[in-house]
Amino acid sequence: MKNDRPGIYIHIPFCLRKCPYCDFVSYPLQRDETDRVHQYICALTKEAALRKRWLEAADLMPEAFHSLYIGGGTPSLLKSSQVSWAIEEIAGSFPLAPGAEVTLEVNPGTSSREELYAWRRLGINRLSIGAQSLNDEFLKKLGRVHTARDVYQTVEWARSAGFSNISFDLMLGLPGQRLEDWQRTVVQAVEELKPQHLSCYELTIEEGTLFGRLKSQGSLNLPPEDEVVAMLEWTREHLTNSGYEHYEISNYALPGFRSRHNQIYWENRWYLGLGAAACSYWAGRRWGNAAGLDEYMQQLDAGSLPEAYSERLDERSQLGETIMLGLRLTEGVSTAELEARFGLSIWDIWEEEITDLQKAGLLEVSGERLRLTQKGLLLANQVQAAFL
Ligand code: SF4
């Protein structure tokens, strides 16, 4: 397992302002607040050095990392010189494999043409663009800082800078959104912007957010469940007819453009997360960093790794989680591979649950593979809970 294509995630926890539905760890940042970003990248470099030492001491350093994902927050708020500094420091501690996937999350309206060119020259070879919608009315409702025009502009600049692997995040189930609104955004995205990859997520309402409060007051006007299901079903049909592979519950890719980094999560392989609130899974241990910026930086200043929690998972828990995550992939999981990886029999542990899920039409067993049915893809949480 040690060298099984691990990846690194770097969290950049700054945004221009907080979106009303967001419960990610992100803090408002003005464009000219370079000192805070500088301090944060200094802290990241300290964490990378400490983590490298920890991996080497435990004889757990892999030969190379196969993906680097810079997410947030809004990493595209950083200047290219700051991104360059972070990448050089991280790659200095954790060698990247030749041809590694290097992704930067970009929010439209936060980066210039020159920066896109600079990022490409830095070796970033994939952009994940937080478009969310191509309808200004919905972008406004979502509290986004960009317009549909900004999305088009970002894609145009990215293509001219040489990016040939572009992913879009789009959100469905928005307040006041009808099936036709969603269809228009997806058709426009595919026909006019031609991304290689699309992540189509349903808006989830989290407690503690403004949308959470509006929902509990009954004033959010979310589309009814059957309309959301119609959106999901139409998306699958339209995108697969347009040449995209539906390879994960919410993700679609043209052949050869699946997200290598996200597949690490879905296959429950090892990854390191660096930065405030970043999570890691390595050699059977999972941990998460302190989410508060001050706490994160103070711990590193004191020379300690900024872990806020840590747990060691036994083989059974790791196997259960690997099945749960792997069932998000439309090709499902190979029972033979997982049994070889964890040395446990899936059937001995979950035979009853698997049989019940098959009878309910949610899970299918085909040879040595377990996978969700079309109905199961819509009720994935229910199926996954059986393997906890
Ligand atoms: S841009 Fe993304 S991370 Fe930042 S506040 Fe909005 S949803 Fe959250």
Side-chain angles (χ1 to χ4, degrees):
M1 258 299 281
K2 181 171 161 183
N3 288 321
D4 193 17
R5 295 162 293 141
I8 306 182
Y9 173 81
I10 303 177
H11 191 65
I12 305 293
F14 302 112
C15 290
L16 279 178
R17 66 170 186 239
K18 194 79 179 165
C19 301
Y21 58 90
C22 175
D23 77 335
F24 297 131
V25 173
S26 73
Y27 303 97
L29 180 86
Q30 300 308 312
R31 283 178 200 270
D32 52 2
E33 280 186 281
T34 46
D35 282 359
R36 275 175 86 204
V37 175
H38 184 90
Q39 285 169 357
Y40 185 73
I41 298 177
C42 278
L44 271 177
T45 65
K46 285 181 198 161
E47 187 187 1
L50 284 174
R51 186 57 73 192
K52 176 180 187 234
R53 224 176 295 153
W54 177 84
L55 285 176
E56 287 171 343
D59 192 24
L60 287 171
M61 179 64 99
E63 276 165 27
F65 288 79
H66 289 250
S67 77
L68 169 63
Y69 192 106
I70 307 172
T74 305
S76 52
L77 272 181
L78 269 54
K79 296 186 189 329
S80 53
S81 56
Q82 295 166 327
V83 176
S84 162
W85 176 23
I87 290 181
E88 273 169 25
E89 290 287 343
I90 303 298
S93 294
F94 307 110
L96 292 178
E101 179 185 271
V102 183
T103 304
L104 180 77
E105 279 185 358
V106 174
N107 279 331
T110 58
S111 49
S112 67
R113 188 173 196 275
E114 291 66 35
E115 272 156 348
L116 281 153
Y117 273 74
W119 292 334
R120 185 69 195 93
R121 284 196 300 273
L122 283 175
I124 291 166
N125 51 28
R126 182 173 185 271
L127 295 181
S128 174
I129 299 181
Q132 314 309 348
S133 174
L134 293 176
N135 177 319
D136 285 345
E137 181 194 332
F138 291 110
L139 287 171
K140 201 168 169 194
K141 280 186 186 170
L142 287 172
R144 303 295 301 201
V145 295
H146 68 272
T147 61
R149 177 76 210 120
D150 293 325
V151 180
Y152 279 79
Q153 184 68 89
T154 302
V155 172
E156 188 191 320
W157 286 340
R159 294 247 187 267
S160 67
F163 285 100
S164 54
N165 188 354
I166 293 179
S167 176
F168 275 12
D169 281 357
L170 295 175
M171 282 169 75
L172 58 91
L174 309 180
Q177 190 183 42
R178 307 301 311 267
L179 175 61
E180 314 80 81
D181 299 315
W182 169 246
Q183 289 172 327
R184 218 169 294 130
T185 276
V186 174
V187 168
Q188 244 175 284
V190 169
E191 290 182 3
E192 297 174 12
L193 296 170
K194 302 180 173 49
Q196 281 69 32
H197 186 279
L198 279 156
S199 299
C200 300
Y201 291 106
E202 181 183 348
L203 171 68
T204 47
I205 306 298
E206 307 289 350
E207 277 180 30
T209 62
L210 176 61
F211 273 17
R213 287 193 288 284
L214 291 174
K215 187 182 176 197
S216 60
Q217 292 160 10
S219 51
L220 200 54
N221 186 26
L222 292 171
E225 194 50 41
D226 56 351
E227 186 140 24
V228 172
V229 170
M231 290 180 196
L232 292 168
E233 288 176 343
W234 176 85
T235 306
R236 186 168 61 225
E237 196 183 325
H238 182 75
L239 290 180
T240 51
N241 287 340
S242 305
Y244 290 85
E245 295 166 346
H246 182 207
Y247 74 104
E248 194 268 351
I249 292 176
S250 309
N251 284 275
Y252 297 83
L254 293 178
F257 288 97
R258 295 181 182 199
S259 162
R260 279 192 248 159
H261 188 82
N262 285 348
Q263 283 184 106
I264 293 176
Y265 301 141
W266 298 320
E267 290 170 9
N268 209 18
R269 289 187 274 120
W270 298 2
Y271 55 89
L272 288 181
L274 304 177
C279 297
S280 305
Y281 173 64
W282 203 268
R285 188 166 78 87
R286 181 173 37 220
W287 66 88
N289 283 350
L293 280 185
D294 288 345
E295 193 188 344
Y296 171 75
M297 294 198 263
Q298 279 161 10
Q299 286 201 41
L300 286 160
D301 282 344
S304 37
L305 283 163
E307 292 180 17
Y309 73 86
S310 164
E311 64 176 325
R312 182 156 287 288
L313 303 170
D314 62 19
E315 300 294 321
R316 186 191 187 282
S317 305
Q318 289 185 62
L319 175 58
E321 287 194 1
T322 308
I323 297 171
M324 246 175 59
L325 292 162
L327 287 176
R328 294 192 61 88
L329 295 164
T330 51
E331 63 200 27
V333 296
S334 156
T335 53
E337 266 175 37
L338 294 188
E339 290 184 352
R341 180 170 153 191
F342 294 102
L344 293 169
S345 161
I346 291 173
W347 294 100
D348 284 354
I349 304 173
W350 290 290
E351 183 173 8
E352 198 182 320
E353 287 83 354
I354 292 172
T355 307
D356 288 348
L357 291 166
Q358 275 182 290
K359 282 188 195 146
L362 298 171
L363 188 69
E364 62 187 28
V365 182
S366 167
E368 47 130 32
R369 297 204 81 82
L370 293 182
R371 69 169 73 92
L372 295 178
T373 59
Q374 295 298 328
K375 183 178 166 194
L377 286 169
L378 295 170
L379 297 168
N381 290 346
Q382 195 177 315
V383 181
Q384 290 168 321
F387 296 95
L388 275 179

